[in-house]
Amino acid sequence: MSLTFRWQSPSNIALVKYWGKRDPQLPSNPSISFTLDACHTQTHAIFEPGQGIQVLLNGEDAPNFVPKISQFIERIGHRHAWLGDYSLKVDTVNSFPHSSGIASSASGLSALALCVVDAALALGAPLQESDARREASILSRLGSGSASRSVYGGLVVWGATHSVPGSHDEYAVPYPHAVHPMFRTFRDVVMLVDVGQKAVSSTAGHALMERHPFAQQRFNQAHQHLSDLQSILRDGDLMPFLDLVESEALTLHGLMMSSQPSYILMRPNTLHIIEAIRAHRLSTGMPIGFTLDAGANVHVLFPAEVEQKAMDFVKQILAPFTKNGRYIVDQVGTGPVPLTDQAKPK
Ligand code: PMV
């Protein structure tokens, strides 16, 4: 029997960062992210009795992605033994430009995990509807930690912490506390500073946290930040929100700079953008801030109500610091959607 499933799943951007892990892909500290909208992956997975893995990226054969997918299927095999009897064809399309410096692992692996769970359900796995999404988060996590958060919309927490009831190291959960409506439509404009391959992978970066001199303090701080966010998110305290999120971004890069060996992923234009944002906030009072991924690109964050003025600033002042003036306009999204035949990847 041939089983075919299609999902669209978004990327996400962490506000409190996951940095450091232990086996099997469990986080050293809790994290919270905004699920994105425009940056997503559409995946069409076909399971057929047999063996082998084939990957198509944007309609073209992509054999260099096969090892990554094989490793993923291997890692989730203990939960889905049936996969051993099926071949897999993955046809995947990213909405964001290839080699834009935006990691496709969160959106790509979560989309594939959602297809695997649907296939398991079709084969009679004893999963309830609500357990199915949790299972997709567990599988996504085994592929790439941050992918575990992409299976829900809005604000999502991964990693057990006292201030978030229901939070867990093995899967992500939707943020359960009250959230000011402004955070449901928050904007994230990704300034593409460097679109090449990262000098040091996230995997290597996580490993360097194992003997990092500041590790324990950092892990404690992440718990504290999750707890501090509770009233900030509820009351819509914009300036404290931006302060906390920026401190998280700079801490992430500070950890890289104080690892053994040390390394720097920010580029000179990353700093130019950061300084321009801070100067603009100071001089105009506009609630605009930034966060960073494990790379040189800058995510510019602001509420929808200041969109017009913020976009003028992005275009006129920040865009000249990017590679060929490139940036991606995104915002908080509502999470993955199953695709029907009419909406299959083009
Ligand atoms: O999911 P990974 O292993 O690629 O790690 C991602 C880590 C950060 O993006 C830097 C932070 C996060 O929580 O997403």
Side-chain angles (χ1 to χ4, degrees):
M1 182 173 58
S2 168
L3 299 163
T4 296
F5 299 96
R6 298 185 177 91
W7 277 90
Q8 172 176 306
S9 193
S11 187
N12 69 74
I13 179 69
L15 304 171
V16 172
K17 310 287 182 180
Y18 146 61
W19 201 238
K21 64 177 171 182
R22 57 188 203 281
D23 266 349
Q25 196 94 314
L26 297 168
S28 300
N29 66 259
S31 57
I32 183 169
S33 54
F34 275 147
T35 293
L36 297 179
D37 186 43
C39 290
H40 61 244
T41 298
Q42 293 189 340
T43 289
H44 176 186
I46 303 166
F47 304 88
E48 277 176 339
Q51 304 291 316
I53 291 177
Q54 189 192 355
V55 182
L56 297 179
L57 181 62
N58 301 321
E60 303 206 354
D61 211 16
N64 47 332
F65 281 87
V66 171
K68 176 112 186 143
I69 303 295
S70 303
Q71 184 193 45
F72 173 62
I73 296 296
E74 233 162 76
R75 281 195 194 163
I76 65 173
H78 66 288
R79 300 183 73 87
H80 293 271
W82 61 269
L83 281 167
D85 301 325
Y86 282 80
S87 70
L88 170 60
K89 182 175 167 190
V90 184
D91 186 352
T92 194
V93 176
N94 291 328
S95 67
F96 37 97
H98 188 52
S99 76
S100 63
I102 305 279
S104 57
S105 56
S107 52
L109 288 168
S110 56
L112 181 55
L114 287 155
C115 292
V116 169
V117 170
D118 273 359
L121 286 169
L123 290 169
L127 281 172
Q128 304 293 327
E129 192 78 8
S130 60
D131 296 346
R133 202 51 78 91
R134 175 176 294 181
E135 179 67 13
S137 180
I138 293 173
L139 301 185
S140 303
R141 183 201 101 231
L142 289 166
S144 161
S146 57
S148 66
R149 298 184 306 242
S150 275
V151 305
Y152 298 106
L155 283 155
V156 185
V157 173
W158 171 44
T161 189
H162 286 307
S163 67
V164 181
S167 57
H168 205 285
D169 282 351
E170 288 180 17
Y171 49 84
V173 294
Y175 182 68
H177 296 302
V179 173
H180 191 285
M182 139 207 329
F183 293 114
R184 298 282 172 212
T185 56
F186 227 74
R187 303 307 201 231
D188 176 6
V189 179
V190 193
M191 309 308 297
L192 302 176
V193 172
D194 193 354
V195 299
Q197 189 80 16
K198 278 188 280 186
V200 180
S201 70
S202 289
T203 309
H206 287 295
L208 289 173
M209 285 305 286
E210 272 163 38
R211 277 169 296 127
H212 197 290
F214 308 144
Q216 199 48 52
Q217 224 138 337
R218 159 59 194 158
F219 302 148
N220 296 344
Q221 179 196 46
H223 286 274
Q224 185 61 48
H225 278 167
L226 254 303
S227 161
D228 294 346
L229 271 176
Q230 202 168 319
S231 63
I232 290 175
L233 291 174
R234 181 192 63 212
D235 301 339
D237 286 340
L238 272 173
M239 293 306 184
F241 173 76
L242 297 173
D243 280 345
L244 188 150
V245 168
E246 291 187 356
S247 145
E248 274 289 322
L250 295 178
T251 298
L252 171 69
H253 284 259
L255 291 165
M256 296 170 191
M257 290 192 266
S258 48
S259 293
Q260 288 271 2
S262 61
Y263 62 107
I264 304 174
L265 293 185
M266 289 188 287
R267 307 302 306 146
N269 280 343
T270 310
L271 290 180
H272 281 130
I273 291 174
I274 288 175
E275 289 189 340
I277 291 171
R278 287 191 157 177
H280 193 68
R281 184 164 78 225
L282 202 62
S283 64
T284 64
M286 182 193 285
I288 186 166
F290 69 88
T291 188
L292 303 165
D293 231 329
N297 298 332
V298 183
H299 290 245
V300 187
L301 301 171
F302 52 87
E305 66 194 30
V306 301
E307 177 152 48
Q308 211 164 350
K309 284 200 171 125
M311 285 310 297
D312 286 345
F313 169 67
V314 163
K315 284 178 207 156
Q316 285 159 23
I317 308 296
L318 303 185
F321 292 118
T322 64
K323 203 106 188 157
N324 305 322
R326 284 170 70 200
Y327 57 86
I328 298 174
V329 180
D330 210 341
Q331 67 175 80
V332 175
T334 52
V337 279
L339 300 173
T340 60
D341 275 347
Q342 289 75 36
K344 70 180 160 200
K346 289 189 259 321

